[in-house]
Structures are given as structure tokens and as C-alpha cells.
């Protein structure tokens, strides 16, 4: 059997294990082990003279209120500079900045009261008319989940809904036309400090990898080049291209974070309502200590629905990746439709990652969608196109190949993202928690597979779009440590809703019954965070841009590497 590209980001992000598992200090170097990624700490201790790429999160200024601006990225950068390091990218979405710094200085940095935590900045690899369109649709997987029925029954096409594609870029294509409304590229080399925010283009910047274009087509291709045969799920939705991966599938954590922060701060400009991330990290600890998970939670609670591919490391158990391991976002596994529109022969694709999550035992994925041998848009001359010309698809009656065949949970995620665009066109008041609930409650389990394989099952687009439920999906886990710390000022005083009044024996850390805990006596620690129902708070009054966007004036430095990407070689993987 011929093998197929798997575009799935395998970020080797090494994150903190239980913070109490390591001693607080080591006298020889004078560092605080509670404030540094354990994997990174081991490397630094082995070679303290080497340079390290890191993400430094600054501590919260407790003297400031929610109405005050707190330039935490600048504060982190200034501390890095004080110790001889070179700050690079401001990352307000996680309250810090990326930097290059000597190992010995990095150890000293952990002793600063202005610093909250230091993470490794790890390498990232790349992971029309509704009725007429319904009659022409020829992609079996989309037929099997009733996409054409949703178009014809409810007259929805994703009109006006912005979907951000965080990927390798999006090439100009007739099937996207003028609906590719903005493009920004965070992969360009940077030799100044801080790295400037790239310029936004209103025309396509291209896709040298080929993966992002395929993803965008599954979301919003209108089938122009195929007479409607190869139409995406939401053919009138708008695409916002946020490029964070290079032609060979390489990137780093800070680049992805910068892309997510740009989405947060530009969501109103382009009416971004949905974020598709067909990428992921191999987690090395709880999601609660992962900066990517923090970032997607910020997007989620700001009102954006985040859809993430589960990963392509199945069928082994506990292979869900980050940030797909986050309990608040929508994690998507892949269905193998066996090349037919019938559902009786469907199965969960062998490569689709399985739950539970490795470190927190959360039940994932949430839902599954067609993801094997999916036909979508081709990016001519891209890495995928050049290396795998046999995957080029020429539509019936056409003379040139405008389409491409790919498999992976990377393909399943945009099917769900497109579905969310249809839902939001029909009802723009839906929240991410309501959308997730509708998707799961409308899904159909596939015989022979468990919830750890498929989540709630294969989505049904028509049933989901037609739902009028107002129920919310309440997360099975709490928010990340960083998110909880950052948001305390913005939710203080609101009613507190507990997940379980019997949790921890019915008592908070100070032996106070949950029903008696107030904002005055709350212990803001892991146990309290665990039991709070975070969806119960009101988030609509938060000006998220003021929390995350930074005006930085660090000096330029000549000591920085001119290459923005770490590592060399081909970062793409294969999937059948």
C-alpha cells in the first residue's frame, strides 16, 4: 500500500513534571528548580556554557489591577537582558518572551522574583449555492457525515465566518478566490530584538509546504475547479492564513504562540470565530504546565472555538498530543470511510491517536471525522507536491491537477472546523462550550470502537447544524496553571461554582468546606483550581487585547542567530 503524507506537528516541548518532585535549590549553581522545565534543566546542568532557546514567563505584578496595563513580555525581556541574554519575540499570550541565553545565566534567571517559569522553546515539525453544491459533492467522507444535507436543509455555507488556519501557509487557489482575506507569515528569519510583527497581506503569501492549503480547502473550498465535486464543508467561509511552519515542516513553540496571539488581537478585524490547528506536540507532562495549552485556553475563553488534530500516533493508547490534550478545546480523531459514502464500513483510522491523555487521563478525542484519503486543494510546487506527484488529482473534465490526496487527523480537524463555521452562520451566539456540546451529542459511535478511540463518535453535520440545544460542555479538567494565575484579577468577585462538593473529601486546602469558600478565604492553589467550574465565569467583559498585546522597545542585538527556525532536515511524516 502506498504511503501518504502525515502532516502532524511533533513538537518536542519538554514541560514541567510535578513541581514538588525536584528540590527548590541546588547550591552549586544557585537555581530554583521549581521555575524551570525539568528537561531543559538537565541539559543546562550538563552544559552551562551553551546557548539555549527558551520561553520566559514573567511573574504577575500583584500591585496592578485588571484595569492596569502590565507589560509582562517587556519585564521578562528586561530580566533576560540584565543577565546577558537576548530577548526575541514578545509573547504576551503567555505573559513572557522568547530568548537566547547562556545556560549559566539561565540558571540565575530562575532566582529572579520577576520570573515565574522558564520553558524550552522546542523544535516544531509539521504535523456557492447550497442546493446545487449538495448535488455535486463527490467526496465520500463528506457525504457520509451529511454535509450536503446541512447545506440544502439549512441553507448554510459558512458565509462571513472567519476561520484561522494555523499551518504552513495557504496558496492562492480558484476554489478560495477572494475569501482568503488575510495572510501573515511568522516563519521569516529575524535578526533583531525583539522580532518585529510581520506585515499582514490581503493577498495570498503562498504555501511552500502544501499542507495548509489542503487544510483550508477542506474547510472552505467551493469546488470551482471541479464543478463542485471537491467542495469543502463551509464553501463561503473566509480563510485567514497564519503561517507558523516552514516548507520542511519545521518551526518552534514561540512561533506558534506568536501566531495564536496575532489571531487573538485581530479576531474582530477579520471576524475570526474558529481556529484550526492541524498540528500538535508530544507531551512530556501535564497539559497544566504547557504554554501551548495556556494559549488555546485564552482563545477559547475569549470566544474563539479551537479545533485541534488528535495526532497520528495511533493505534497505541495515550498518544493524544498537545494542545489536543487540553480539556476545553475540540480534539478530533480520524475516521476511515473506506472510500464510500455509506457508514456501515467506517472505522477509526489506524493512525488516529487514542486516549486517554498520557499525563492527566482525560478522555480524548472529543469527536471523529473523515480523515483518510481526503481530496482537497493542491499547492503547486510545494514540498508535498514535488515529492509526491502521484497524489495530484485532476477533476473530471479538467486538464490540470488542482487537487491533492492526503490522510491524517490533520484532515479530520478542518472538517470539524468547517462544521463549526456552518453552526455559527446559523446561530452566531453559540459559545465554544455550546458548540462542543452540540458536536458531541449529535455524533454517532462507530461499532467496535471505544470512547478512547473515537470520543463521542463520527460527527453528523446536518444533525449538529440543526440542533437547538443550549447546553454547555463542562470540561473534565481545570485550566492551566498560567491561565489560572493570569485570570484571577479578571474573575475575582464573581460567583464560584464547584465541580464536586465532595472533591478532596469535601474540603479546600485549608480544610474549609467548598460551600463556605469565598473570594476572601479561597486558597489559590492546585486543589482549588481543580474544583472550580471555569465555564461558569463571565468572560465577555475582558478586553483580551489589553492583557496580551505588548509594545516592546528592546534594543537590537547582533548576537542573535539569523535563523528563525531550529533544526534542519525534513520535518514531515508519512501516513497511509
Amino acid at each position: 500500500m502506498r504511503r501518504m503524507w502525515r502532516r502532524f506537528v511533533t513538537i518536542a516541548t519538554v514541560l514541567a513534571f510535578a513541581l514538588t518532585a525536584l528540590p527548590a535549590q541546588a547550591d552549586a549553581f544557585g537555581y530554583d528548580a521549581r521555575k524551570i522545565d525539568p528537561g531543559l534543566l538537565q541539559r543546562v546542568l550538563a552544559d552551562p556554557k551553551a546557548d539555549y532557546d527558551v520561553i520566559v514567563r514573567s511573574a504577575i505584578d500583584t500591585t496592578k489591577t485588571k484595569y492596569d496595563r502590565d507589560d509582562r513580555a517587556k519585564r521578562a525581556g528586561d530580566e533576560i537582558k540584565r543577565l546577558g541574554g537576548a530577548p526575541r519575540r514578545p509573547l504576551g499570550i503567555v505573559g513572557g518572551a522568547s530568548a537566547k541565553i547562556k545556560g549559566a545565566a539561565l540558571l540565575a534567571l530562575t532566582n529572579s522574583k520577576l520570573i515565574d517559569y522558564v520553558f524550552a522553546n522546542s523544535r516544531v515539525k509539521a504535523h456557492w449555492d447550497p442546493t446545487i453544491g449538495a448535488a455535486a459533492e463527490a467526496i465520500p467522507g463528506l457525504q457520509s457525515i451529511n454535509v450536503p444535507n446541512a447545506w440544502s436543509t439549512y441553507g448554510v455555507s459558512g458565509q462571513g465566518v472567519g476561520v484561522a488556519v494555523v499551518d504552513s501557509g495557504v496558496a492562492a487557489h480558484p476554489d478560495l478566490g477572494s475569501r482568503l482575506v488575510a495572510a501573515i507569515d511568522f516563519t521569516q528569519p529575524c535578526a533583531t530584538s525583539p522580532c518585529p510583527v510581520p506585515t499582514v497581506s490581503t493577498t495570498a503569501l503562498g504555501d511552500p509546504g502544501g499542507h495548509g492549503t489542503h487544510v483550508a480547502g477542506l474547510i472552505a473550498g467551493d469546488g470551482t475547479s471541479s464543478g463542485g465535486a471537491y467542495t469543502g464543508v463551509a464553501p463561503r467561509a473566509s480563510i485567514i492564513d497564519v503561517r507558523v511552519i516552514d516548507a520542511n515542516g519545521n518551526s518552534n513553540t514561540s512561533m506558534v504562540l506568536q501566531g495564536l496571539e496575532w489571531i487573538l488581537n485581530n479576531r474582530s478585524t477579520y471576524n475570526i470565530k474558529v481556529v484550526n490547528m492541524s498540528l500538535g506536540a508530544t507531551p512530556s507532562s501535564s497539559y497544566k504546565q504547557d504554554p501551548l495549552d495556556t494559549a488555546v485556553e485564552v482563545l477559547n475563553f475569549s470566544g474563539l472555538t479551537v479545533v485541534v488534530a488528535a495526532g497520528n500516533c495511533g493505534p497505541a493508547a495515550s498518544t493524544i498530543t498537545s494542545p489536543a490534550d487540553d480539556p476545553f478545546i475540540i480534539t478530533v480523531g480520524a475516521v476511515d470511510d473506506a472510500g464510500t459514502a455509506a457508514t456501515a464500513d467506517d472505522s477509526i483510522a489506524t493512525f488516529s491517536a487514542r486516549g486517554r491523555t498520557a499525563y492527566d487521563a482525560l478522555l480524548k478525542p472529543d469527536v471523529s471525522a473523515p480523515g483518510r484519503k481526503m481530496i482537497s486543494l493542491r499547492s503547486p510546487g510545494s514540498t508535498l507536491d514535488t515529492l509526491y506527484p502521484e497524489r495530484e488529482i485532476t477533476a473530471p473534465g479538467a486538464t490540470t491537477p488542482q487537487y491533492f490526496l492526503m490522510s491524517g487527523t490533520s484532515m479530520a480537524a478542518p472538517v470539524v472546523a468547517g462544521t463549526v463555521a456552518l453552526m455559527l452562520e446559523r446561530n452566531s451566539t453559540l459559545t465554544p462550550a455550546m458548540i462542543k456540546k452540540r458536536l458531541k451529542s449529535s455524533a454517532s459511535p462507530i461499532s467496535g470502537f471505544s470512547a478512547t478511540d473515537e470520543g463521542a463518535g463520527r460527527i453528523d453535520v446536518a444533525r449538529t447544524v440543526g440542533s437547538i440545544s443550549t447546553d454547555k460542555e463542562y470540561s473534565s479538567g481545570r485550566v492551566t496553571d498560567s491561565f489560572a494565575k493570569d485570570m484571577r484579577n479578571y474573575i475575582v468577585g464573581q460567583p464560584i461554582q464547584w465541580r464536586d462538593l465532595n472533591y478532596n473529601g469535601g474540603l479546600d486546602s485549608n480544610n474549609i468546606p467548598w460551600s463556605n469558600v469565598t473570594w476572601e478565604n479561597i486558597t489559590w492553589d492546585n486543589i482549588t483550581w481543580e474544583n472550580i467550574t471555569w465555564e461558569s465565569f463571565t468572560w465577555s467583559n475582558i478586553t483580551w487585547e489589553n492583557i496580551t498585546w505588548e509594545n516592546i522597545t528592546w534594543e537590537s542585538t547582533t548576537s542573535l542567530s539569523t535563523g528563525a527556525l531550529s533544526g534542519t532536515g525534513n520535518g514531515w511524516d508519512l501516513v497511509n
Side-chain angles (χ1 to χ4, degrees):
M1 179 183 296
R2 292 182 300 172
R3 303 193 72 196
M4 176 69 205
W5 272 107
R6 174 174 68 185
R7 193 349 262 130
F8 169 78
V9 175
T10 55
I11 311 175
T13 309
V14 184
L15 299 172
F17 289 97
L19 299 182
T20 58
L22 290 173
Q25 296 274 340
D27 292 336
F29 293 100
Y31 61 85
D32 188 341
R34 297 168 300 181
K35 295 166 64 173
I36 184 172
D37 177 327
L40 174 62
L41 175 59
Q42 292 179 9
R43 295 197 298 274
V44 173
L45 291 176
D47 189 0
K49 295 182 179 180
D51 289 322
Y52 293 90
D53 289 320
V54 295
I55 296 171
V56 179
R57 173 180 158 84
S58 67
I60 297 169
D61 185 345
T62 57
T63 66
K64 293 184 179 294
T65 71
K66 63 182 179 181
Y67 304 106
D68 298 323
R69 188 176 188 85
D70 186 9
D71 288 329
R72 293 173 60 199
K74 184 178 187 302
R75 189 155 66 248
D78 289 345
E79 279 296 277
I80 292 163
K81 287 180 61 179
R82 183 179 68 83
L83 291 168
R88 302 196 68 188
R89 300 178 185 274
L91 299 170
I93 198 168
V94 291
S98 63
K100 183 180 291 292
I101 188 170
K102 293 288 185 184
L106 180 56
L107 294 175
L109 186 66
T110 65
N111 286 320
S112 170
K113 294 181 180 180
L114 301 181
I115 299 303
D116 181 63
Y117 204 82
V118 182
F119 303 91
N121 186 12
S122 303
R123 183 177 177 179
V124 177
K125 298 181 182 179
H127 190 53
W128 84 132
D129 180 277
T131 302
I132 296 174
E137 177 63 75
I139 301 176
L142 300 192
Q143 293 175 330
S144 72
I145 57 173
N146 293 319
V147 170
N149 289 348
W151 297 338
S152 58
T153 302
Y154 301 104
V156 291
S157 57
Q159 178 75 43
V161 179
V163 183
V165 177
V166 184
D167 216 292
S168 62
V170 179
H173 196 286
D175 288 21
L176 295 176
S178 62
R179 290 177 297 105
L180 177 53
V181 298
I184 188 166
D185 184 358
F186 289 97
T187 68
Q188 295 304 305
C190 168
T192 61
S193 178
C195 297
V197 176
T199 302
V200 181
S201 174
T202 56
T203 58
L205 294 177
D207 176 13
H211 183 268
T213 303
H214 197 274
V215 166
L218 287 169
I219 296 170
D222 67 5
T224 293
S225 304
S226 62
Y230 304 139
T231 301
V233 177
R236 287 181 182 161
S238 299
I239 293 294
I240 296 85
D241 168 20
V242 183
R243 186 180 177 213
V244 298
I245 302 165
D246 77 350
N248 295 315
N250 294 316
S251 182
N252 57 42
T253 305
S254 68
M255 211 169 290
V256 178
L257 292 174
Q258 195 174 26
L260 298 181
E261 181 169 343
W262 182 88
I263 290 170
L264 180 69
N265 289 285
N266 291 273
R267 66 196 192 285
S268 297
T269 303
Y270 303 106
N271 198 36
I272 301 173
K273 300 293 185 182
V274 191
V275 179
N276 187 89
M277 298 178 68
S278 289
L279 50 82
T282 301
S284 59
S285 68
S286 169
Y287 75 92
K288 301 164 192 173
Q289 302 296 330
D290 190 325
L292 285 175
D293 286 84
T294 295
V296 297
E297 287 178 5
V298 171
L299 296 182
N300 173 83
F301 284 103
S302 72
L304 301 182
T305 300
V306 182
V307 181
V308 183
N312 294 344
C313 298
S318 299
T319 49
I320 301 294
T321 55
S322 163
D325 58 355
D326 191 273
F328 294 93
I329 55 87
I330 298 169
T331 302
V332 186
V335 173
D336 182 349
D337 58 45
T340 75
T343 58
D345 56 2
D346 284 2
S347 62
I348 297 301
T350 303
F351 56 76
S352 188
R354 267 62 167 181
R356 293 180 175 261
T357 61
Y359 291 93
D360 300 285
L362 299 179
L363 186 58
K364 288 280 184 173
D366 295 302
V367 293
S368 297
R372 187 160 187 264
K373 295 188 175 180
M374 301 294 286
I375 299 173
S376 187
L377 309 186
R378 173 190 172 216
S379 177
S382 64
T383 300
L384 294 174
D385 186 57
T386 301
L387 296 179
Y388 290 85
E390 71 275 10
R391 298 297 176 178
E392 296 173 3
I393 302 292
T394 302
T399 58
T400 58
Q402 293 276 19
Y403 299 93
F404 204 78
L405 189 72
M406 292 183 70
S407 297
T409 58
S410 285
M411 284 59 254
V415 171
V416 174
T419 301
V420 175
L422 299 182
M423 297 168 70
L424 287 167
E425 181 192 3
R426 187 161 189 252
N427 184 351
S428 62
T429 67
L430 294 176
T431 66
M434 294 168 68
I435 287 168
K436 188 174 181 179
K437 182 69 172 182
R438 289 189 183 190
L439 281 165
K440 293 180 69 173
S441 61
S442 299
S444 300
I446 298 175
S447 178
F449 294 89
S450 69
T452 56
D453 300 324
E454 62 176 349
R458 177 187 53 239
I459 65 168
D460 185 312
V461 178
R463 189 185 302 164
T464 302
V465 171
S467 173
I468 59 173
S469 170
T470 58
D471 293 342
K472 294 180 180 180
E473 176 76 10
Y474 289 97
S475 166
S476 58
R478 67 163 170 92
V479 296
T480 65
D481 288 354
S482 296
F483 186 89
K485 292 176 183 177
D486 290 350
M487 291 299 108
R488 188 181 191 280
N489 275 349
Y490 298 91
I491 59 176
V492 65
Q494 294 191 42
I496 303 170
Q497 182 174 317
W498 305 110
R499 297 180 183 278
D500 181 4
L501 290 178
N502 294 316
Y503 182 79
N504 195 45
L507 303 174
D508 189 14
S509 300
N510 287 341
N511 294 319
I512 300 173
W514 293 111
S515 57
N516 293 339
V517 173
T518 66
W519 285 105
E520 287 72 30
N521 63 21
I522 193 170
T523 54
W524 206 243
D525 54 26
N526 289 358
I527 292 182
T528 300
W529 298 349
E530 290 284 359
N531 203 26
I532 290 176
T533 302
W534 292 86
E535 295 90 345
S536 67
F537 293 123
T538 298
W539 303 93
S540 58
N541 60 350
I542 297 177
T543 306
W544 297 90
E545 293 88 342
N546 289 343
I547 298 172
T548 62
W549 197 245
E550 312 286 349
N551 294 316
I552 308 297
T553 56
W554 296 323
E555 299 172 2
S556 297
T557 176
T558 58
S559 64
L560 292 171
S561 166
T562 57
L565 302 175
S566 61
T568 58
N570 198 318
W572 303 99
D573 296 320
L574 295 174
V575 164
N576 287 331

